[in-house]
Amino acid sequence: MRYLITGGAGFIGSHLAEALLARGDEVFILDDLSTGSVENVRHLKTNARFHYFYDSISNKHLLAELVDESEVVFHLAAAVGVRLIVESPVRTLETNVYGTQQVLDAASKKKKLVFTASTSEVYGKSEKVPFHEDADLVLGPTTKGRWSYAASKALDEFLTLSYWKEKNQPVIIARFFNTVGPRQTGRYGMVLPNFVRQAIEGSPITVYGSGQQSRCFCDVRDTIEAIVRLLGTDRSVGEVVNVGTNEEISIDALACLVKERAGSSSPITHVPYDQAYEPGFEDMLRRVPSLEKLSRLTGFRPSTPLTETIDRVIDHFHARLAPATRSIDGIATTAAASD
Ligand code: UDP
């Protein structure tokens, strides 16, 4: 099979490309490196079935060509990460809404299946856990920047489903819940890479808010397995499906676990939300997926223990730091600090 992955040099995209290549498929990736990194796919570049295009999804001609080449389009290109959303709301909205529209438009001309990546953010501050795919979305006011991300991804979902209903365009939507693993950058606010970097550097591990808020962290390998399985069944077409685990952990407990696994002496500190993000920032206390639908459609439930994922992330950070540390200390510090 031939696949196009928009955002293929990103965290999830690069793992997906790797998995598809490993099973013998051909992969085209389109990425403008706005949040992705060439480092994520460098090891794939020698594979003759891997084709890398450094460009934006707003390049209509290239997008059309790549859609033509592919049988399925994974649309993962998006502005993600709470920090990025709070700091660059215009970019978030434009990338997410305009980008998805471009991809759907190009794919619908050839009726190529589009797999749209969405997020658990769309459930907003709903307290009815576990979140079922058909539950109401509870978003805060438009004056609070954080909700623009949820709104933009909800609009992506509406657009995707409209192409399915009105134009018979085959689509699948996955709502990812806190995916974690090697190559995820902490630059845009994601908690695990930030904690791991802080633990390894021996700097304070910064828990935002009370630390009592909880999340369910899903290993990226499980996420990829879920994606591949969803694609493998016709029953997924036209559906919105949660992808994640339902093992919940508080952010305080996560900080302790990372500290312990890294053998770190970092202190754990608490930072108020308005200092960490912006005044009036609203967080959600719990975020737990219902996995019934994923399980019913694919027979799969992610199950990698969080400790295993944390260890892999720690190893990844060590591996990235090791050669640089040996040669030029200053560069090593810069590389780590930017992650
Ligand atoms: N968080 C934290 N310290 C950090 C980064 C994030 O305590 O350095 C918190 C954040 O406020 C949230 C949780 O960790 O409550 C998960 O944050 P992330 O941005 O990874 O995911 P999301 O908020 O989208 O669930």
Side-chain angles (χ1 to χ4, degrees):
M1 291 278 286
R2 293 189 311 280
Y3 296 95
L4 168 62
I5 308 175
T6 71
F11 163 52
I12 298 180
S14 65
H15 283 280
L16 179 60
E18 204 171 272
L20 296 173
L21 289 168
R23 50 177 223 181
D25 294 320
E26 185 146 10
V27 175
F28 299 82
I29 71 166
L30 178 59
D31 200 303
D32 65 0
L33 299 184
S34 52
T35 55
S37 163
V38 76
E39 287 311 316
N40 291 342
V41 291
R42 194 179 295 286
H43 62 296
L44 305 178
K45 283 185 164 178
T46 48
N47 190 321
R49 285 178 283 104
F50 179 71
H51 314 280
Y52 172 49
F53 295 83
Y54 169 44
D55 211 323
S56 160
I57 41 176
S58 60
N59 181 339
K60 276 189 177 184
H61 297 296
L62 179 59
L63 184 63
E65 245 177 75
L66 295 178
V67 165
D68 265 356
E69 290 290 338
S70 315
E71 285 143 282
V72 172
V73 181
F74 289 102
H75 178 43
L76 306 185
V80 293
V82 177
R83 180 159 305 286
L84 181 65
I85 276 80
V86 169
E87 287 171 3
S88 313
V90 173
R91 174 169 158 201
T92 305
L93 290 165
E94 285 181 353
T95 308
N96 293 359
V97 180
Y98 180 68
T100 302
Q101 208 264 320
Q102 294 286 314
V103 169
L104 287 166
D105 184 48
S108 71
K109 292 190 174 114
K110 302 288 166 76
K111 293 281 181 279
K112 303 283 173 80
L113 175 76
V114 175
F115 185 107
T116 299
S118 185
T119 164
S120 56
E121 271 282 319
V122 297
Y123 291 103
K125 49 187 173 179
S126 167
E127 289 175 0
K128 287 191 189 152
V129 292
F131 296 149
H132 290 267
E133 289 84 349
D134 56 0
D136 288 343
L137 311 183
V138 186
L139 305 189
T142 51
T143 44
K144 298 203 169 170
R146 186 215 175 112
W147 303 116
S148 66
Y149 179 46
S152 69
K153 293 307 287 186
L155 194 53
D156 280 355
E157 291 195 15
F158 278 125
L159 258 179
T160 305
L161 290 170
S162 305
Y163 269 78
W164 163 238
K165 286 177 193 148
E166 198 181 314
K167 299 177 189 267
N168 231 3
Q169 154 70 29
V171 300
I172 301 172
I173 297 172
R175 288 183 181 157
F176 296 131
F177 280 68
N178 293 84
T179 310
V180 288
R183 295 187 207 142
Q184 183 176 36
T185 171
R187 212 174 305 148
Y188 308 109
M190 277 74 163
V191 66
L192 186 59
N194 275 318
F195 281 3
V196 167
R197 177 180 55 78
Q198 291 164 339
I200 288 175
E201 286 177 357
S203 54
I205 297 178
T206 52
V207 173
Y208 299 160
S210 69
Q212 294 308 299
Q213 74 273 30
S214 66
R215 295 292 186 271
C216 301
F217 294 96
C218 182
D219 190 289
V220 66
R221 290 174 304 182
D222 284 337
T223 303
I224 301 304
E225 180 66 26
I227 295 176
V228 168
R229 287 193 189 215
L230 282 170
L231 207 71
T233 167
D234 288 345
R235 293 186 307 144
S236 307
V237 174
E239 298 292 338
V240 179
V241 189
N242 290 336
V243 172
T245 72
N246 46 18
E247 286 291 316
E248 211 176 344
I249 183 169
S250 75
I251 301 302
D252 262 344
L254 180 73
C256 293
L257 192 58
V258 168
K259 178 173 164 155
E260 180 198 313
R261 304 301 294 189
S264 167
S265 56
S266 289
I268 295 174
T269 57
H270 287 81
V271 181
Y273 284 125
D274 52 0
Q275 269 175 41
Y277 299 107
E278 62 181 355
F281 180 84
E282 292 182 306
D283 201 6
M284 48 284 277
L285 203 54
R286 296 177 71 195
R287 193 186 264 179
V288 185
S290 158
L291 297 175
E292 281 166 31
K293 194 169 182 181
L294 175 67
S295 184
R296 184 164 29 89
L297 289 173
T298 67
F300 178 68
R301 261 175 191 262
S303 61
T304 304
L306 182 57
T307 45
E308 192 181 314
T309 312
I310 292 175
D311 290 349
R312 291 197 324 124
V313 173
I314 292 171
D315 288 348
H316 174 76
F317 268 81
H318 279 307
R320 284 200 43 207
L321 289 174
T325 313
R326 273 200 303 274
S327 53
I328 312 166
D329 226 5
I331 293 178
T333 314
T334 314
S338 68
D339 222 315

